[in-house]
Amino acid sequence: MSNSVLIIDDSPLLRQKVVESLRGACLFDNYFEANDGFSAIKVLSREEIDMLICDVMMPKMDGFKLMEMLNKEKRFEDIMVIMLSANRGIFDKIKGLESGAIDYMTKPFHPHELALRVSILLRMKGLQKELKAKIVELERVTVLDALTGLYNQRYLYDTLRREYNRSERFNLKLSLIILDIDNFKDVNDTFGHQRGDVIIKEVARLLQTMLRGYDFAVRYGGDEFIIVLSQSTVIGAHIVAERLRKMIEENPLLIKLNGEKNVTASIGVSTFPDDTKEGYEALINRADQALYKAKREGRNRVAYGRL
């Protein structure tokens, strides 16, 4: 992945010196130049920049004003800034660092010192990217079910609470589907837990094929799943639930895995505000009650959360 630097100074000779120092150390793939803050903004608007090397004193917009602008835009938050100044006073250094610059050098500078400082900062930036990527991956793993790749209960409660509150605030429908594989204990007892895991993974895959971009599916535990359907009416949830029930019953792979017998599922559906207005937990409970109603009435069917 290429990296880019933008050198900002009203002196063409100084910009040339900076470029030569960095090129000699092979630190960047792309070099851009600007003679003041306004010109720098134009470059930033069209290019991905990793580092700014910026003079403090410039016409039109100086380095401190440019830093103020950068600090207001989230898209610039990862850009590292080195400030250059002929002023050796401590207060300018403090002001530069407080404004968000990661380093401050006085002019004239030694080319090798500049290259070394930039090299160190680029290594720091690389480590920061790796750390951010690991944090993102860790957060992703903590909300996913290891077997199916669906979300887990932790994600369900956090996200469903927000979705419920949003639906309540804007008077939107919100539907919940709870699905349980019928007689799954018999499958495990007959074919073993390894075969059972394959069946669970295939059911999870079928669930994912039913989702719109703003819906999500959860492995609620064992062979039980939840689908959250944002802005979905009772009729819309019924269509999804019934289609899913048929897909599971008629799936050739599931039939084969179950010894040439159909795998079936019982499904409970609840909708806000039709079935409950008492919170997201009540919405789950109402769908759960509907699920047990479907079980009592003979399994392989869809039931609803209305009392």
Side-chain angles (χ1 to χ4, degrees), residues 12 16 22 45-46 49 75 83 88 96 110 126 180 201 207 213 216 245 248 262 280-281 307:
Q16 183 182 355
L22 301 179
S45 68
R46 66 175 187 269
I49 301 297
R75 61 196 175 105
M83 301 200 82
R88 296 176 177 272
H110 194 286
D180 184 83
K201 288 171 69 175
L207 262 65
F216 65 92
R245 185 194 65 77
I248 292 170
N262 298 94
Y280 75 95
E281 291 176 325
L307 295 176

Side-chain angles (χ1 to χ4, degrees), residues 212-228:
R212 302 166 298 176
Y214 38 86
D215 302 329
F216 65 92
V218 173
R219 186 184 180 196
Y220 196 47
D223 58 310
E224 197 167 26
F225 302 87
I226 285 181
I227 299 177
V228 177

